[in-house]
Amino acid sequence: MTRDELIKHTILCHESKFGKRPAFAAYAPGRVEVLGNHTDYNEGFVLSAAVDAGICFVLSPCREGITLHASDLNESAKASLETLDLPGGWANYIIGVLIELQKLGAPLTGFDATFSGSIPKGAGLSSSAAIETATALAVMAGGGFALPKLDIAKLCQRAEMDAVGVRCGLLDQISSLYGKADALIHTDFRTLDVTTVPFPADEEFLICDTGVKHSLVDSEYNSRRAQCETARDFFAERLKHPVSALRDVSPAEFSALCSELDGEVARRAAHVVGENDRVARGVELLKAGDLTAFGELMFESHESSVHNFENSCEELDCVVSAAREAGALGARLSGGGFGGSAVVLVPKKQEETITAKMKSAFASKYERSLTVRAAVPSAGAGIIQIPGEF
Ligand code: GLA
């Protein structure tokens, strides 16, 4: 479904559920993390892109309370404006955003809302950040309230941390908001400077959803984050310069001291330090147009996930090795890991042959099909003008 088709579909679902045309709408894309895994909360660097799939959130003001309709699930939830209680499940992402908006003084009044999406939940494309971002933009438009992009990203992150319980970094929200067509987003997660690096028109990404939805994702994610903090404290004691995050540890400093660290914690830190270095090299390779060497960094990144961060799974490894055998330029897991999607870099003209080979390798091992969709770097989130008629 294209962005415009999704917007139309969401508006029509809203009309059929609430009997009126929505007054405000926003669209937010999902994201793909291309290089720099688990570096965002270590104040490091990431290359990512918004993709051409996302969430559309529409609303119409009403007198009483809040009614939310998840049209893809055909489920609804109600909330009181006075208490903003968290009902659980998908509604927490939305109510979490409302709580944060209220804390910032945004005027909240009653509304009926509908949302639907073209990104599957749990596929590693961050449908959660897209729901949060689309909610924030539509509700702010409805209340005549404006915030800079970075503040929107941060409020959505707080919503996810507090209402959903994942200590995520800012990667997903920043990628959804700052996405740009035909470019990767390069973010420095210490200064929060976002720049773009042109992405060649001949190449694209294949997002390969393994269908593995790891039930422990949230707790594994939080425990990896805690191990990174342990490693940071170790380096802060040993190194002469200030270390407030693993970002401050160079590959040479890591190698000099890592034998003194607990083995598992050392491997976690190796991943983060290595990823930051790969992002720096990756930016230069992209600028030089060397997609082959860039793709090799993606393969290296995946190897480091397998052996150091241990956030891959068998199915992701199967896709990455099938991608390599099929002639892809690069492949790695994308996002938190433990399941979800692999991102594969391919020349557009080889899309079909590489897809077919990966699907067949996956099906022969798991007796189920691998979902593959092509994605190109796309524009970021924004408010949508509701068309008078279709
Ligand atoms: C998830 C989190 C992000 C980031 C990635 C891993 O997508 O939400 O903040 O940490 O995992 O890079």
Side-chain angles (χ1 to χ4, degrees):
M1 209 189 292
T2 65
R3 175 182 174 279
D4 290 349
E5 285 163 355
L6 174 67
I7 292 166
K8 180 175 175 184
H9 167 77
T10 314
I11 292 172
L12 294 176
C13 288
H14 187 84
E15 285 178 353
S16 99
K17 169 79 184 166
F18 296 108
K20 55 194 168 188
R21 182 148 271 225
F24 301 96
Y27 169 86
R31 65 95 190 90
V32 60
E33 174 204 283
V34 181
L35 263 188
N37 183 245
H38 286 258
T39 48
D40 60 347
Y41 57 81
N42 289 298
E43 297 183 17
F45 302 89
V46 184
L47 272 171
S48 62
V51 294
D52 44 344
I55 302 279
C56 178
F57 187 101
V58 303
L59 65 88
S60 5
C62 72
R63 280 178 194 279
E64 274 176 40
I66 298 166
T67 304
L68 305 170
H69 180 57
S71 68
D72 299 338
L73 302 172
N74 198 20
E75 285 176 15
S76 297
K78 284 193 176 291
S80 139
L81 265 173
E82 282 70 43
T83 54
L84 287 178
D85 294 325
L86 294 167
W90 54 264
N92 281 14
Y93 293 95
I94 297 168
I95 305 295
V97 167
L98 299 182
I99 293 171
E100 295 304 322
L101 279 170
Q102 198 173 53
K103 284 187 198 158
L104 294 174
L108 294 185
T109 50
F111 63 81
D112 295 324
T114 302
F115 72 96
S116 69
S118 50
I119 2 177
K121 188 179 174 327
L125 292 177
S126 202
S127 55
S128 52
I131 292 178
E132 293 150 12
T133 308
T135 303
L137 289 171
V139 172
M140 281 170 31
F145 189 71
L147 283 173
K149 268 190 202 178
L150 196 52
D151 291 359
I152 301 173
K154 287 179 180 170
L155 88 82
C156 292
Q157 179 200 28
R158 288 196 299 275
E160 184 140 352
M161 284 181 157
D162 295 347
V164 186
V166 183
R167 293 182 67 213
C168 64
L170 263 174
L171 167 68
D172 307 341
Q173 294 80 6
I174 284 194
S175 307
S176 183
L177 279 154
Y178 287 81
K180 196 169 169 230
D182 308 321
L184 297 192
I185 313 161
H186 179 222
T187 309
D188 176 336
F189 282 92
R190 170 161 290 163
T191 62
L192 297 179
D193 279 342
V194 182
T195 51
T196 53
V197 189
F199 184 76
D202 297 345
E203 260 74 36
E204 66 182 2
F205 296 111
L206 298 177
I207 312 292
C208 306
D209 182 2
T210 59
V212 178
K213 295 184 183 27
H214 200 295
S215 60
L216 294 175
V217 170
D218 297 352
S219 61
E220 293 282 359
Y221 184 94
N222 290 346
S223 86
R224 291 298 184 283
R225 186 165 177 161
Q227 288 176 312
C228 290
E229 287 161 359
T230 304
R232 173 208 55 203
D233 294 345
F234 166 86
F235 286 105
E237 272 178 23
R238 306 300 161 101
L239 292 172
K240 292 206 174 64
H241 60 79
V243 175
S244 57
L246 279 180
R247 134 79 166 266
D248 299 308
V249 181
S250 70
E253 289 165 342
F254 174 80
S255 303
L257 293 171
C258 66
S259 60
E260 294 173 36
L261 250 179
D262 164 76
E264 191 170 280
V265 173
R267 282 184 283 116
R268 306 301 187 243
H271 182 63
V272 175
V273 172
E275 284 293 279
N276 280 331
D277 185 52
R278 279 185 278 277
V279 172
R281 288 189 280 146
V283 169
E284 294 314 312
L285 291 168
L286 261 190
K287 286 182 182 163
D290 190 346
L291 271 284
T292 306
F294 183 86
E296 270 311 314
L297 292 178
M298 293 176 69
F299 285 126
E300 270 179 33
S301 166
H302 188 76
E303 278 302 295
S304 175
S305 273
V306 173
H307 301 292
N308 292 326
F309 217 65
E310 293 179 277
N311 62 334
S312 185
C313 66
E314 240 191 56
E315 290 83 349
L316 283 166
D317 299 346
C318 167
V319 175
V320 171
S321 71
R324 197 192 259 286
E325 274 167 37
L329 293 163
R332 67 192 278 281
L333 67 80
S334 177
F338 311 105
S341 293
V343 52
V344 180
L345 176 65
V346 297
K348 279 182 181 164
K349 55 179 193 297
Q350 287 181 40
E351 173 185 328
E352 275 178 30
T353 49
I354 292 177
T355 300
K357 285 183 182 164
M358 289 191 304
K359 278 179 170 254
S360 124
F362 192 85
S364 66
K365 196 154 178 205
Y366 298 106
E367 290 173 358
R368 63 173 200 271
S369 54
L370 177 72
T371 310
V372 180
R373 56 159 294 153
V376 288
S378 303
I383 309 276
I384 307 295
Q385 298 307 321
I386 311 254
E389 279 182 20
F390 291 113

